Amino acid sequence: MANEGGIQATIEASPDEIYDIELEHSLLEANEKLAKENRALLDQHGTTAIDFMGAIGSGKTTLIAKLVEKLKDKMGVAVFNGDATTSNDADAIAKQNVPVVQIATINGCHLDANLVGKGLRKIDIDKVKLLFIENIGNLICPAEFPLGSKARVVVVSVTEGPWMVRKHPHMFLGAQLVVINKIDMAKAMEVSVEDLASDVHKLKPDIKVIPTSCKTGEGIEKVAAALLAV
Ligand code: MG
Ligand code: ZN
């Protein structure tokens, strides 16, 4: 269509849309404040919280279960399992006899600092040195909601294909550690672990990237060491 030099189109936000933006802004601000409160409480008790983000099926639960297995005899650990609807993941980890709090978001697509704060009131925080928080399986909005953790980990698995990092830069920019999981499947999936790692480093040159397989145990020790060093 010929453009005669005038305005091609005008898009006007409805009052509702503007209201949404204002609401979102105050929501994020409120979350930020609660995240700081969570962090202060955790620090006061000498507890380190680590927040695991990643898509559904990236292997967050299994990875956390392996880390719990490795660390629970050395220090007090606890797990918060965010899940929109089921308690499958919480049940799986609770078998290891560590405190587990299921945080059901009732179809909400991310954990927030308010829910985590409620969880903190459910555990004996003095006995917990390391708290694992499993976020909802979603690679978009958890990035916007800090929870008060000391470090955020993104778990990406080779089974999610070669473009996961490029398509979700936000998640990786806000993380302190990246785990590339299910590397035992890399060949079958024809996905290069090195390429995924280099995509991460293009976004964030200094971030630690650890390839893991919960099946063979490869890399689990390194992740545990990295978490203890945060
Ligand atoms: Mg899970
Ligand atoms: Zn969300």
Side-chain angles (χ1 to χ4, degrees):
M1 202 168 62
N3 179 0
E4 301 292 333
I7 295 170
Q8 216 163 327
T10 304
I11 296 167
E12 213 172 295
S14 71
D16 282 350
E17 282 174 299
I18 293 167
Y19 176 71
D20 277 356
I21 291 166
E22 279 174 3
L23 190 69
E24 186 177 304
H25 184 72
S26 64
L27 192 75
L28 293 178
E29 237 169 46
N31 184 78
E32 190 92 30
K33 185 170 170 276
L34 290 172
K36 282 188 182 135
E37 286 174 23
N38 288 347
R39 180 59 178 279
L41 182 71
L42 289 159
D43 285 349
Q44 198 185 317
H45 292 268
T47 307
T48 299
I50 312 279
D51 170 20
F52 287 71
M53 307 181 289
I56 292 177
S58 58
K60 298 183 295 300
T61 308
T62 310
L63 178 65
I64 291 172
K66 294 280 174 198
L67 291 165
V68 166
E69 204 178 296
K70 205 163 261 309
L71 296 170
K72 67 176 180 181
D73 295 331
K74 295 181 191 144
M75 66 192 71
V77 303
V79 181
F80 288 0
N81 262 113
D83 199 301
T85 48
T86 74
S87 68
N88 297 2
D89 293 355
D91 292 340
I93 292 180
K95 281 187 197 135
Q96 296 203 50
N97 288 318
V98 297
V100 173
V101 175
Q102 194 205 356
I103 303 180
T105 57
I106 317 296
N107 295 322
C109 49
H110 57 266
L111 286 183
D112 61 35
N114 173 50
L115 290 169
V116 168
K118 283 184 178 173
L120 290 176
R121 276 167 242 139
K122 299 277 183 206
I123 58 170
D124 187 351
I125 193 166
D126 281 319
K127 293 193 176 135
V128 178
K129 186 91 191 111
L130 195 57
L131 171 63
F132 297 92
I133 304 172
E134 181 179 348
N135 216 312
I136 303 296
N138 170 354
L139 278 173
I140 311 284
C141 50
E144 308 287 338
F145 290 83
L147 305 176
S149 60
K150 203 164 191 183
R152 306 196 93 178
V153 180
V154 181
V155 183
V156 58
S157 139
V158 299
T159 53
E160 296 163 61
W163 314 121
M164 281 306 275
V165 179
R166 295 179 188 198
K167 288 186 180 182
H168 304 92
H170 227 68
M171 292 296 281
F172 295 89
L173 288 169
Q176 283 72 43
L177 175 68
V178 174
V179 173
I180 300 177
N181 198 19
K182 305 194 188 180
I183 55 169
D184 54 290
M185 305 275 284
K187 210 166 173 201
M189 294 303 300
E190 297 181 7
V191 168
S192 158
V193 174
E194 291 73 25
D195 288 354
L196 284 171
S198 105
D199 281 349
V200 174
H201 284 134
K202 270 178 213 147
L203 288 168
K204 213 174 174 180
D206 296 334
I207 197 169
K208 189 170 241 175
V209 177
I210 304 177
T212 59
S213 163
C214 292
K215 212 166 186 178
T216 66
E218 193 177 339
I220 304 295
E221 192 80 56
K222 283 185 190 156
V223 177
L227 298 185
L228 294 178
V230 299

